[in-house]
PDB file of all heavy atoms in Angstrom:
ATOM      1  N   GLY A1080       3.076   6.012  58.142  1.00 97.00           N
ATOM      2  CA  GLY A1080       2.691   5.428  59.430  1.00 97.00           C
ATOM      3  C   GLY A1080       3.786   4.624  60.087  1.00 97.00           C
ATOM      4  O   GLY A1080       3.823   4.482  61.313  1.00 97.00           O
ATOM      5  N   VAL A1081       4.704   4.112  59.287  1.00 98.00           N
ATOM      6  CA  VAL A1081       5.805   3.325  59.837  1.00 98.00           C
ATOM      7  C   VAL A1081       6.723   4.160  60.728  1.00 98.00           C
ATOM      8  O   VAL A1081       7.339   3.647  61.672  1.00 98.00           O
ATOM      9  CB  VAL A1081       6.616   2.670  58.691  1.00 98.00           C
ATOM     10  CG1 VAL A1081       7.232   3.721  57.787  1.00 98.00           C
ATOM     11  CG2 VAL A1081       7.664   1.721  59.226  1.00 98.00           C
ATOM     12  N   TYR A1082       6.817   5.468  60.473  1.00 98.00           N
ATOM     13  CA  TYR A1082       7.738   6.310  61.247  1.00 98.00           C
ATOM     14  C   TYR A1082       7.365   6.377  62.730  1.00 98.00           C
ATOM     15  O   TYR A1082       8.221   6.121  63.602  1.00 98.00           O
ATOM     16  CB  TYR A1082       7.795   7.720  60.661  1.00 98.00           C
ATOM     17  CG  TYR A1082       8.638   7.867  59.429  1.00 98.00           C
ATOM     18  CD1 TYR A1082       8.044   8.078  58.185  1.00 98.00           C
ATOM     19  CD2 TYR A1082      10.030   7.818  59.479  1.00 98.00           C
ATOM     20  CE1 TYR A1082       8.810   8.235  57.039  1.00 98.00           C
ATOM     21  CE2 TYR A1082      10.803   7.972  58.341  1.00 98.00           C
ATOM     22  CZ  TYR A1082      10.186   8.180  57.121  1.00 98.00           C
ATOM     23  OH  TYR A1082      10.958   8.330  55.993  1.00 98.00           O
ATOM     24  N   PRO A1083       6.130   6.738  63.090  1.00 98.00           N
ATOM     25  CA  PRO A1083       5.793   6.761  64.522  1.00 98.00           C
ATOM     26  C   PRO A1083       5.920   5.383  65.167  1.00 98.00           C
ATOM     27  O   PRO A1083       6.366   5.274  66.316  1.00 98.00           O
ATOM     28  CB  PRO A1083       4.338   7.253  64.535  1.00 98.00           C
ATOM     29  CG  PRO A1083       4.163   7.991  63.253  1.00 98.00           C
ATOM     30  CD  PRO A1083       5.028   7.278  62.260  1.00 98.00           C
ATOM     31  N   VAL A1084       5.529   4.332  64.436  1.00 98.00           N
ATOM     32  CA  VAL A1084       5.609   2.977  64.998  1.00 98.00           C
ATOM     33  C   VAL A1084       7.061   2.605  65.279  1.00 98.00           C
ATOM     34  O   VAL A1084       7.387   2.081  66.349  1.00 98.00           O
ATOM     35  CB  VAL A1084       4.954   1.958  64.043  1.00 98.00           C
ATOM     36  CG1 VAL A1084       5.216   0.536  64.532  1.00 98.00           C
ATOM     37  CG2 VAL A1084       3.456   2.209  63.942  1.00 98.00           C
ATOM     38  N   SER A1085       7.956   2.869  64.341  1.00 98.00           N
ATOM     39  CA  SER A1085       9.358   2.528  64.536  1.00 98.00           C
ATOM     40  C   SER A1085       9.994   3.362  65.648  1.00 98.00           C
ATOM     41  O   SER A1085      10.832   2.867  66.409  1.00 98.00           O
ATOM     42  CB  SER A1085      10.136   2.725  63.227  1.00 98.00           C
ATOM     43  OG  SER A1085      11.467   2.272  63.355  1.00 98.00           O
ATOM     44  N   PHE A1086       9.591   4.620  65.751  1.00 98.00           N
ATOM     45  CA  PHE A1086      10.126   5.479  66.810  1.00 98.00           C
ATOM     46  C   PHE A1086       9.742   4.924  68.177  1.00 98.00           C
ATOM     47  O   PHE A1086      10.574   4.860  69.098  1.00 98.00           O
ATOM     48  CB  PHE A1086       9.591   6.901  66.645  1.00 98.00           C
ATOM     49  CG  PHE A1086      10.233   7.908  67.555  1.00 98.00           C
ATOM     50  CD1 PHE A1086      11.447   8.486  67.227  1.00 98.00           C
ATOM     51  CD2 PHE A1086       9.616   8.282  68.737  1.00 98.00           C
ATOM     52  CE1 PHE A1086      12.053   9.416  68.081  1.00 98.00           C
ATOM     53  CE2 PHE A1086      10.206   9.211  69.586  1.00 98.00           C
ATOM     54  CZ  PHE A1086      11.430   9.781  69.254  1.00 98.00           C
ATOM     55  N   ALA A1087       8.484   4.517  68.323  1.00 98.00           N
ATOM     56  CA  ALA A1087       8.039   3.944  69.597  1.00 98.00           C
ATOM     57  C   ALA A1087       8.762   2.627  69.883  1.00 98.00           C
ATOM     58  O   ALA A1087       9.168   2.360  71.025  1.00 98.00           O
ATOM     59  CB  ALA A1087       6.527   3.729  69.568  1.00 98.00           C
ATOM     60  N   GLN A1088       8.926   1.802  68.860  1.00 98.00           N
ATOM     61  CA  GLN A1088       9.599   0.514  69.056  1.00 98.00           C
ATOM     62  C   GLN A1088      11.044   0.708  69.487  1.00 98.00           C
ATOM     63  O   GLN A1088      11.560  -0.039  70.321  1.00 98.00           O
ATOM     64  CB  GLN A1088       9.535  -0.302  67.761  1.00 98.00           C
ATOM     65  CG  GLN A1088       9.933  -1.767  67.909  1.00 98.00           C
ATOM     66  CD  GLN A1088      11.440  -1.981  67.953  1.00 98.00           C
ATOM     67  OE1 GLN A1088      12.203  -1.207  67.352  1.00 98.00           O
ATOM     68  NE2 GLN A1088      11.881  -3.013  68.657  1.00 98.00           N
ATOM     69  N   MET A1089      11.701   1.712  68.942  1.00 98.00           N
ATOM     70  CA  MET A1089      13.089   2.003  69.296  1.00 98.00           C
ATOM     71  C   MET A1089      13.254   2.245  70.785  1.00 98.00           C
ATOM     72  O   MET A1089      14.266   1.883  71.386  1.00 98.00           O
ATOM     73  CB  MET A1089      13.560   3.228  68.497  1.00 98.00           C
ATOM     74  CG  MET A1089      14.954   3.723  68.821  1.00 98.00           C
ATOM     75  SD  MET A1089      15.363   5.228  67.896  1.00 98.00           S
ATOM     76  CE  MET A1089      14.353   6.460  68.771  1.00 98.00           C
ATOM     77  N   LEU A1090      12.238   2.834  71.394  1.00 98.00           N
ATOM     78  CA  LEU A1090      12.341   3.231  72.804  1.00 98.00           C
ATOM     79  C   LEU A1090      11.647   2.279  73.765  1.00 98.00           C
ATOM     80  O   LEU A1090      12.066   2.149  74.915  1.00 98.00           O
ATOM     81  CB  LEU A1090      11.755   4.635  72.976  1.00 98.00           C
ATOM     82  CG  LEU A1090      12.571   5.728  72.274  1.00 98.00           C
ATOM     83  CD1 LEU A1090      11.705   6.925  71.953  1.00 98.00           C
ATOM     84  CD2 LEU A1090      13.762   6.131  73.138  1.00 98.00           C
ATOM     85  N   LEU A1091      10.600   1.609  73.310  1.00 98.00           N
ATOM     86  CA  LEU A1091       9.802   0.784  74.215  1.00 98.00           C
ATOM     87  C   LEU A1091       9.810  -0.695  73.853  1.00 98.00           C
ATOM     88  O   LEU A1091       9.321  -1.519  74.635  1.00 98.00           O
ATOM     89  CB  LEU A1091       8.352   1.288  74.239  1.00 98.00           C
ATOM     90  CG  LEU A1091       8.133   2.669  74.851  1.00 98.00           C
ATOM     91  CD1 LEU A1091       6.692   3.130  74.610  1.00 98.00           C
ATOM     92  CD2 LEU A1091       8.436   2.658  76.347  1.00 98.00           C
ATOM     93  N   GLY A1092      10.316  -1.043  72.676  1.00 98.00           N
ATOM     94  CA  GLY A1092      10.322  -2.441  72.277  1.00 98.00           C
ATOM     95  C   GLY A1092       9.002  -2.857  71.655  1.00 98.00           C
ATOM     96  O   GLY A1092       8.245  -2.039  71.132  1.00 98.00           O
ATOM     97  N   ALA A1093       8.719  -4.149  71.724  1.00 98.00           N
ATOM     98  CA  ALA A1093       7.503  -4.692  71.127  1.00 98.00           C
ATOM     99  C   ALA A1093       6.340  -4.569  72.107  1.00 98.00           C
ATOM    100  O   ALA A1093       6.472  -4.936  73.273  1.00 98.00           O
ATOM    101  CB  ALA A1093       7.710  -6.152  70.741  1.00 98.00           C
ATOM    102  N   PRO A1094       5.202  -4.078  71.656  1.00 98.00           N
ATOM    103  CA  PRO A1094       4.057  -3.929  72.556  1.00 98.00           C
ATOM    104  C   PRO A1094       3.370  -5.268  72.817  1.00 98.00           C
ATOM    105  O   PRO A1094       3.504  -6.216  72.038  1.00 98.00           O
ATOM    106  CB  PRO A1094       3.129  -2.984  71.795  1.00 98.00           C
ATOM    107  CG  PRO A1094       3.408  -3.293  70.360  1.00 98.00           C
ATOM    108  CD  PRO A1094       4.887  -3.605  70.297  1.00 98.00           C
ATOM    109  N   GLU A1095       2.611  -5.314  73.907  1.00 98.00           N
ATOM    110  CA  GLU A1095       1.825  -6.510  74.190  1.00 98.00           C
ATOM    111  C   GLU A1095       0.392  -6.366  73.704  1.00 98.00           C
ATOM    112  O   GLU A1095      -0.372  -7.321  73.751  1.00 98.00           O
ATOM    113  CB  GLU A1095       1.842  -6.808  75.694  1.00 98.00           C
ATOM    114  CG  GLU A1095       1.278  -5.707  76.578  1.00 98.00           C
ATOM    115  CD  GLU A1095       1.363  -6.056  78.052  1.00 98.00           C
ATOM    116  OE1 GLU A1095       2.121  -6.996  78.404  1.00 98.00           O
ATOM    117  OE2 GLU A1095       0.662  -5.414  78.865  1.00 98.00           O
ATOM    118  N   GLY A1096       0.036  -5.176  73.221  1.00 98.00           N
ATOM    119  CA  GLY A1096      -1.297  -4.968  72.689  1.00 98.00           C
ATOM    120  C   GLY A1096      -1.347  -3.740  71.809  1.00 98.00           C
ATOM    121  O   GLY A1096      -0.604  -2.776  72.020  1.00 98.00           O
ATOM    122  N   VAL A1097      -2.230  -3.768  70.788  1.00 98.00           N
ATOM    123  CA  VAL A1097      -2.388  -2.656  69.856  1.00 98.00           C
ATOM    124  C   VAL A1097      -3.871  -2.397  69.648  1.00 98.00           C
ATOM    125  O   VAL A1097      -4.648  -3.338  69.423  1.00 98.00           O
ATOM    126  CB  VAL A1097      -1.736  -2.963  68.479  1.00 98.00           C
ATOM    127  CG1 VAL A1097      -1.976  -1.828  67.494  1.00 98.00           C
ATOM    128  CG2 VAL A1097      -0.244  -3.237  68.639  1.00 98.00           C
ATOM    129  N   VAL A1098      -4.278  -1.129  69.751  1.00 98.00           N
ATOM    130  CA  VAL A1098      -5.640  -0.725  69.418  1.00 98.00           C
ATOM    131  C   VAL A1098      -5.537   0.361  68.357  1.00 98.00           C
ATOM    132  O   VAL A1098      -4.900   1.395  68.584  1.00 98.00           O
ATOM    133  CB  VAL A1098      -6.406  -0.204  70.645  1.00 98.00           C
ATOM    134  CG1 VAL A1098      -7.806   0.266  70.238  1.00 98.00           C
ATOM    135  CG2 VAL A1098      -6.498  -1.274  71.728  1.00 98.00           C
ATOM    136  N   ALA A1099      -6.149   0.121  67.192  1.00 98.00           N
ATOM    137  CA  ALA A1099      -6.027   1.054  66.073  1.00 98.00           C
ATOM    138  C   ALA A1099      -7.395   1.491  65.574  1.00 98.00           C
ATOM    139  O   ALA A1099      -8.373   0.738  65.641  1.00 98.00           O
ATOM    140  CB  ALA A1099      -5.244   0.409  64.932  1.00 98.00           C
ATOM    141  N   HIS A1100      -7.440   2.707  65.065  1.00 98.00           N
ATOM    142  CA  HIS A1100      -8.665   3.272  64.509  1.00 98.00           C
ATOM    143  C   HIS A1100      -8.258   4.179  63.355  1.00 98.00           C
ATOM    144  O   HIS A1100      -7.218   4.835  63.419  1.00 98.00           O
ATOM    145  CB  HIS A1100      -9.408   4.081  65.569  1.00 98.00           C
ATOM    146  CG  HIS A1100     -10.673   4.717  65.077  1.00 98.00           C
ATOM    147  ND1 HIS A1100     -11.783   3.992  64.729  1.00 98.00           N
ATOM    148  CD2 HIS A1100     -10.992   6.019  64.853  1.00 98.00           C
ATOM    149  CE1 HIS A1100     -12.740   4.819  64.335  1.00 98.00           C
ATOM    150  NE2 HIS A1100     -12.285   6.059  64.393  1.00 98.00           N
ATOM    151  N   GLY A1101      -9.053   4.206  62.266  1.00 97.00           N
ATOM    152  CA  GLY A1101      -8.656   5.056  61.161  1.00 97.00           C
ATOM    153  C   GLY A1101      -9.645   5.055  60.021  1.00 97.00           C
ATOM    154  O   GLY A1101     -10.790   4.626  60.163  1.00 97.00           O
ATOM    155  N   ILE A1102      -9.183   5.535  58.859  1.00 95.00           N
ATOM    156  CA  ILE A1102     -10.013   5.671  57.669  1.00 95.00           C
ATOM    157  C   ILE A1102      -9.374   4.881  56.535  1.00 95.00           C
ATOM    158  O   ILE A1102      -8.188   5.046  56.227  1.00 95.00           O
ATOM    159  CB  ILE A1102     -10.151   7.145  57.246  1.00 95.00           C
ATOM    160  CG1 ILE A1102     -10.832   7.948  58.368  1.00 95.00           C
ATOM    161  CG2 ILE A1102     -10.927   7.266  55.947  1.00 95.00           C
ATOM    162  CD1 ILE A1102     -10.869   9.442  58.099  1.00 95.00           C
ATOM    163  N   VAL A1103     -10.183   4.008  55.917  1.00 94.00           N
ATOM    164  CA  VAL A1103      -9.733   3.184  54.796  1.00 94.00           C
ATOM    165  C   VAL A1103     -10.656   3.437  53.613  1.00 94.00           C
ATOM    166  O   VAL A1103     -11.881   3.426  53.758  1.00 94.00           O
ATOM    167  CB  VAL A1103      -9.735   1.689  55.173  1.00 94.00           C
ATOM    168  CG1 VAL A1103      -9.337   0.830  53.977  1.00 94.00           C
ATOM    169  CG2 VAL A1103      -8.791   1.426  56.347  1.00 94.00           C
ATOM    170  N   LEU A1104     -10.071   3.682  52.437  1.00 90.00           N
ATOM    171  CA  LEU A1104     -10.863   3.898  51.232  1.00 90.00           C
ATOM    172  C   LEU A1104     -11.477   2.588  50.746  1.00 90.00           C
ATOM    173  O   LEU A1104     -11.104   1.503  51.193  1.00 90.00           O
ATOM    174  CB  LEU A1104      -9.993   4.495  50.132  1.00 90.00           C
ATOM    175  CG  LEU A1104      -9.266   5.814  50.444  1.00 90.00           C
ATOM    176  CD1 LEU A1104      -8.478   6.271  49.230  1.00 90.00           C
ATOM    177  CD2 LEU A1104     -10.252   6.886  50.879  1.00 90.00           C
ATOM    178  N   GLU A1105     -12.395   2.691  49.813  1.00 87.00           N
ATOM    179  CA  GLU A1105     -13.042   1.503  49.264  1.00 87.00           C
ATOM    180  C   GLU A1105     -12.040   0.557  48.611  1.00 87.00           C
ATOM    181  O   GLU A1105     -12.247  -0.656  48.550  1.00 87.00           O
ATOM    182  CB  GLU A1105     -14.116   1.899  48.255  1.00 87.00           C
ATOM    183  CG  GLU A1105     -15.352   2.531  48.878  1.00 87.00           C
ATOM    184  CD  GLU A1105     -16.435   2.794  47.846  1.00 87.00           C
ATOM    185  OE1 GLU A1105     -16.270   2.328  46.691  1.00 87.00           O
ATOM    186  OE2 GLU A1105     -17.427   3.442  48.189  1.00 87.00           O
ATOM    187  N   SER A1106     -10.930   1.107  48.143  1.00 86.00           N
ATOM    188  CA  SER A1106      -9.889   0.279  47.529  1.00 86.00           C
ATOM    189  C   SER A1106      -9.151  -0.577  48.538  1.00 86.00           C
ATOM    190  O   SER A1106      -8.390  -1.475  48.163  1.00 86.00           O
ATOM    191  CB  SER A1106      -8.881   1.172  46.798  1.00 86.00           C
ATOM    192  OG  SER A1106      -8.225   2.037  47.713  1.00 86.00           O
ATOM    193  N   GLY A1107      -9.361  -0.292  49.831  1.00 91.00           N
ATOM    194  CA  GLY A1107      -8.663  -1.021  50.873  1.00 91.00           C
ATOM    195  C   GLY A1107      -7.388  -0.363  51.332  1.00 91.00           C
ATOM    196  O   GLY A1107      -6.622  -0.935  52.120  1.00 91.00           O
ATOM    197  N   VAL A1108      -7.141   0.879  50.852  1.00 91.00           N
ATOM    198  CA  VAL A1108      -5.938   1.627  51.214  1.00 91.00           C
ATOM    199  C   VAL A1108      -6.270   2.637  52.311  1.00 91.00           C
ATOM    200  O   VAL A1108      -7.303   3.308  52.262  1.00 91.00           O
ATOM    201  CB  VAL A1108      -5.362   2.339  49.972  1.00 91.00           C
ATOM    202  CG1 VAL A1108      -4.248   3.293  50.360  1.00 91.00           C
ATOM    203  CG2 VAL A1108      -4.849   1.309  48.977  1.00 91.00           C
ATOM    204  N   ASP A1109      -5.400   2.763  53.291  1.00 94.00           N
ATOM    205  CA  ASP A1109      -5.631   3.649  54.438  1.00 94.00           C
ATOM    206  C   ASP A1109      -5.145   5.060  54.154  1.00 94.00           C
ATOM    207  O   ASP A1109      -4.182   5.259  53.406  1.00 94.00           O
ATOM    208  CB  ASP A1109      -4.922   3.119  55.683  1.00 94.00           C
ATOM    209  CG  ASP A1109      -3.405   3.068  55.501  1.00 94.00           C
ATOM    210  OD1 ASP A1109      -2.944   2.679  54.411  1.00 94.00           O
ATOM    211  OD2 ASP A1109      -2.678   3.427  56.448  1.00 94.00           O
ATOM    212  N   VAL A1110      -5.822   6.049  54.770  1.00 93.00           N
ATOM    213  CA  VAL A1110      -5.414   7.448  54.618  1.00 93.00           C
ATOM    214  C   VAL A1110      -5.288   8.168  55.957  1.00 93.00           C
ATOM    215  O   VAL A1110      -4.782   9.302  55.999  1.00 93.00           O
ATOM    216  CB  VAL A1110      -6.379   8.220  53.699  1.00 93.00           C
ATOM    217  CG1 VAL A1110      -6.308   7.690  52.281  1.00 93.00           C
ATOM    218  CG2 VAL A1110      -7.808   8.170  54.219  1.00 93.00           C
ATOM    219  N   GLU A1111      -5.711   7.547  57.038  1.00 96.00           N
ATOM    220  CA  GLU A1111      -5.541   8.156  58.366  1.00 96.00           C
ATOM    221  C   GLU A1111      -5.681   7.080  59.427  1.00 96.00           C
ATOM    222  O   GLU A1111      -6.508   6.169  59.294  1.00 96.00           O
ATOM    223  CB  GLU A1111      -6.580   9.261  58.596  1.00 96.00           C
ATOM    224  CG  GLU A1111      -6.357  10.051  59.888  1.00 96.00           C
ATOM    225  CD  GLU A1111      -7.230  11.302  59.944  1.00 96.00           C
ATOM    226  OE1 GLU A1111      -6.821  12.329  59.380  1.00 96.00           O
ATOM    227  OE2 GLU A1111      -8.333  11.213  60.514  1.00 96.00           O
ATOM    228  N   GLU A1112      -4.872   7.195  60.491  1.00 97.00           N
ATOM    229  CA  GLU A1112      -4.978   6.235  61.583  1.00 97.00           C
ATOM    230  C   GLU A1112      -4.347   6.762  62.861  1.00 97.00           C
ATOM    231  O   GLU A1112      -3.438   7.597  62.834  1.00 97.00           O
ATOM    232  CB  GLU A1112      -4.311   4.901  61.201  1.00 97.00           C
ATOM    233  CG  GLU A1112      -2.839   4.995  60.909  1.00 97.00           C
ATOM    234  CD  GLU A1112      -2.475   4.275  59.620  1.00 97.00           C
ATOM    235  OE1 GLU A1112      -3.381   3.796  58.916  1.00 97.00           O
ATOM    236  OE2 GLU A1112      -1.281   4.226  59.308  1.00 97.00           O
ATOM    237  N   SER A1113      -4.887   6.291  63.957  1.00 98.00           N
ATOM    238  CA  SER A1113      -4.283   6.507  65.264  1.00 98.00           C
ATOM    239  C   SER A1113      -4.163   5.152  65.927  1.00 98.00           C
ATOM    240  O   SER A1113      -4.949   4.240  65.658  1.00 98.00           O
ATOM    241  CB  SER A1113      -5.126   7.458  66.122  1.00 98.00           C
ATOM    242  OG  SER A1113      -6.433   6.951  66.291  1.00 98.00           O
ATOM    243  N   ALA A1114      -3.163   5.005  66.767  1.00 98.00           N
ATOM    244  CA  ALA A1114      -2.932   3.716  67.414  1.00 98.00           C
ATOM    245  C   ALA A1114      -2.451   3.936  68.840  1.00 98.00           C
ATOM    246  O   ALA A1114      -1.648   4.835  69.112  1.00 98.00           O
ATOM    247  CB  ALA A1114      -1.901   2.896  66.642  1.00 98.00           C
ATOM    248  N   LEU A1115      -2.962   3.117  69.732  1.00 98.00           N
ATOM    249  CA  LEU A1115      -2.499   3.075  71.119  1.00 98.00           C
ATOM    250  C   LEU A1115      -1.783   1.758  71.319  1.00 98.00           C
ATOM    251  O   LEU A1115      -2.376   0.679  71.137  1.00 98.00           O
ATOM    252  CB  LEU A1115      -3.674   3.191  72.091  1.00 98.00           C
ATOM    253  CG  LEU A1115      -3.325   3.039  73.577  1.00 98.00           C
ATOM    254  CD1 LEU A1115      -2.396   4.154  74.034  1.00 98.00           C
ATOM    255  CD2 LEU A1115      -4.596   3.013  74.425  1.00 98.00           C
TER     256      LEU A1115
END
Side-chain angles (χ1 to χ4, degrees):
V1081 62
Y1082 282 109
V1084 172
S1085 186
F1086 189 83
Q1088 192 281 330
M1089 176 184 74
L1090 293 155
L1091 293 171
E1095 60 182 16
V1097 177
V1098 178
H1100 179 68
I1102 299 174
V1103 177
L1104 303 181
E1105 289 185 9
S1106 63
V1108 171
D1109 62 319
V1110 294
E1111 187 169 276
E1112 62 228 5
S1113 58
L1115 175 63

